[in-house]
């Protein structure tokens, strides 16, 4: 298989260019790819008016950058994100991404944190299978998980998310389009569009991949207000999205009370659990142990600050000090804990 790679540049800053893989141009030998190059590039640029093209090329699949995928069970693959905050070094590749290959189609569970990562995930999938891309499930609204979605839509995938996700993204899109390239660099983000899902769900939904099914379960506001879990039937693998963090400090962007309630009444155990960040675990109990301790300590410390009559400005450092013994287990502890303390304070202030 050959892949079409367009050199795309920012119209406003023509020196800022990046190679963009266009999935519509993928397939066949070099001649077939070259026959499509002009029209696919022109169509794609028409949909990305902030970019200009500077030529394209066709490369064999094995020469295109591809994410590293680890097979957890037959047909179930995961890309492990970097256990840290967004940075130029990790290019925004911090979330765990899942791929489930059924007998008839491939599902993607979170398409990555940038256009660039989505492209590298597409190339990695094509090294494994020629089956069509089917459901592309967004576990929640955060861009480190979903910014690669447009690549998968161009590849023919159907973007599926919780019904609350489009509003959540709309409220934050303009901020993210500025803040994220500043954190990860212009190149991986160049051409990234935060696309709306083609399909939203408001209740448990089962998707057939042929030979296995995925069950999507929306969750009441917890990590965010658009969380869902995904369970693969054949392998009994549970993908929790960011309802479970390991190693990277949990980010509270929904409801602490709701998150603790989900942890207190979790879904049934699975053969393995893929958290949103951090290593795959053998059980949900193992996966969630550190996070449960962290969020419980956060709740207790905020409650103590409120009981002591502290205002926000005194409570945040007090909570950070109370949680400090937990710091060695977590990356990006200080900055995230300070934000979590403020968020939990705002939520619990009126309890
Ligand atoms: Zn998240």
């Amino acid at each position: 298989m050959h892949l079409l790679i367009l050199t795309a540049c920012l119209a406003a800053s023509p020196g800022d260019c990046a190679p963009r893989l266009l999935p519509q141009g993928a397939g066949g030998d070099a001649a077939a790819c070259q026959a499509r190059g002009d029209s696919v590039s022109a169509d794609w640029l028409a949909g990305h008016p902030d970019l200009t093209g500077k030529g394209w090329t066709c490369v064999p699949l094995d020469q295109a950058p591809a994410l590293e995928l680890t097979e957890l069970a037959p047909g179930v693959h995961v890309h492990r994100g970097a256990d840290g905050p967004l940075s130029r070094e990790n290019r925004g590749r911090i979330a765990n991404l899942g791929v489930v290959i059924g007998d008839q189609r491939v599902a993607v569970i979170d398409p990555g944190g940038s256009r660039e990562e989505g492209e590298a995930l597409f190339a990695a999938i094509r090294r494994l299978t020629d089956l069509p891309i089917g459901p592309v499930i967004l576990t929640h609204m955060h861009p480190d998980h979903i910014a690669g979605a447009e690549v998968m839509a161009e590849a023919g995938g159907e973007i599926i998310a919780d019904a609350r996700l489009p509003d959540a993204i709309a409220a934050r899109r303009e901020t993210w389009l500025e803040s994220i390239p500043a954190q990860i660099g212009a190149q991986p983000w160049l051409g990234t569009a935060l696309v709306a899902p083609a399909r939203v769900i408001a209740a448990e939904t089962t998707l057939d991949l042929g030979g296995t099914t995925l069950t999507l379960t929306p969750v009441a506001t917890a990590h965010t207000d658009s969380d869902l879990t995904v369970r693969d039937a054949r392998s009994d693998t549970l993908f929790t999205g960011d309802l479970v963090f390991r190693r990277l400090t949990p980010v509270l962007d929904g409801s602490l009370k709701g998150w603790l309630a989900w942890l207190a009444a979790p879904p049934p155990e699975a053969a393995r659990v893929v958290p949103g960040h951090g290593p795959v675990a053998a059980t949900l109990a193992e996966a969630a142990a550190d996070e449960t301790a962290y969020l419980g300590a956060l709740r207790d410390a905020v409650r103590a600050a409120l009981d002591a009559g502290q205002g926000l400005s005194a409570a945040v450092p007090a909570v950070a000090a109370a949680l400090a013994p937990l710091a060695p287990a977590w990356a990006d502890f200080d900055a995230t804990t300070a934000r979590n303390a403020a968020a939990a304070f705002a939520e619990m202030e009126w309890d």
Side-chain angles (χ1 to χ4, degrees):
M1 177 184 288
H2 278 65
L3 299 176
L4 177 65
I5 311 282
L6 169 73
T7 299
C9 308
L10 290 174
S13 174
D16 278 329
C17 303
R20 290 289 71 117
L21 189 167
L22 308 185
Q24 300 95 322
D29 60 10
C33 175
Q34 281 157 3
R36 288 190 293 266
D38 280 336
S39 64
V40 168
S41 298
D43 285 352
W44 189 82
L45 287 165
H48 297 79
D50 58 325
L51 302 178
T52 58
K54 226 180 187 179
W56 52 264
T57 183
C58 288
V59 302
L61 175 58
D62 62 5
Q63 288 176 23
L67 287 188
E68 186 182 337
L69 292 175
T70 301
E71 189 165 29
L72 305 178
V76 179
H77 303 258
V78 67
H79 172 72
R80 275 276 287 117
D83 295 328
L86 297 179
S87 71
R88 284 171 187 267
E89 290 68 39
N90 62 41
R91 303 176 81 84
R93 299 178 179 193
I94 64 171
N96 291 340
L97 314 179
V99 174
V100 178
I101 303 174
D103 295 343
Q104 289 159 16
R105 59 189 70 82
V106 182
V108 173
I109 299 155
D110 285 342
S114 66
R115 170 91 200 180
E116 179 188 77
E117 188 175 27
E119 293 170 359
L121 179 61
F122 174 77
I125 292 169
R126 282 290 167 257
R127 290 186 186 188
L128 295 172
T129 178
D130 288 335
L131 285 172
I133 310 280
V136 177
I137 299 150
L138 312 183
T139 60
H140 65 293
M141 66 169 167
H142 282 151
D144 56 320
H145 293 258
I146 70 170
E150 191 179 45
V151 179
M152 296 299 164
E154 292 167 3
E158 182 184 35
I159 312 297
I160 303 176
D162 187 279
R164 299 163 292 181
L165 180 136
D167 284 350
I169 289 184
R172 297 163 176 85
R173 173 182 277 108
E174 296 311 315
T175 303
W176 284 339
L177 290 176
E178 288 219 350
S179 65
I180 297 173
Q183 290 170 279
I184 70 173
Q187 222 184 28
W189 192 258
L190 194 140
T192 301
L194 297 168
V195 295
R199 175 180 174 190
V200 296
I201 62 163
E204 190 161 281
T205 301
T206 298
L207 308 172
D208 189 2
L209 304 181
T212 190
T213 58
L214 298 183
T215 299
L216 282 51
T217 306
V219 172
T221 301
H223 164 60
T224 69
D225 66 358
S226 54
D227 302 321
L228 57 78
T229 62
V230 181
R231 187 182 293 258
D232 171 52
R234 183 158 60 188
S235 67
D236 194 27
T237 302
L238 177 67
F239 296 86
T240 64
D242 278 0
L243 288 160
V244 177
F245 280 72
R246 307 184 78 197
R247 295 195 188 166
L248 180 62
T249 307
V251 171
L252 173 60
D253 199 11
S255 164
L256 179 56
K257 194 183 286 184
W259 204 346
L260 286 163
W262 183 83
L263 288 164
E269 266 299 350
R272 67 193 61 74
V273 173
V274 181
H277 298 270
V280 175
T283 66
L284 185 54
E286 176 194 344
D290 285 352
E291 175 181 276
T292 303
Y294 176 93
L295 294 176
L298 177 65
R299 171 199 56 203
D300 293 347
V302 171
R303 187 173 290 153
L306 287 165
D307 288 348
Q310 290 179 332
L312 177 65
S313 59
V316 170
V319 170
L323 267 62
L326 302 176
W330 298 105
D332 201 35
F333 184 86
D334 291 344
T336 300
T337 298
R339 287 195 300 271
N340 289 344
F345 187 95
E347 179 184 342
M348 294 170 65
E349 198 173 4
W350 307 110
D351 274 2

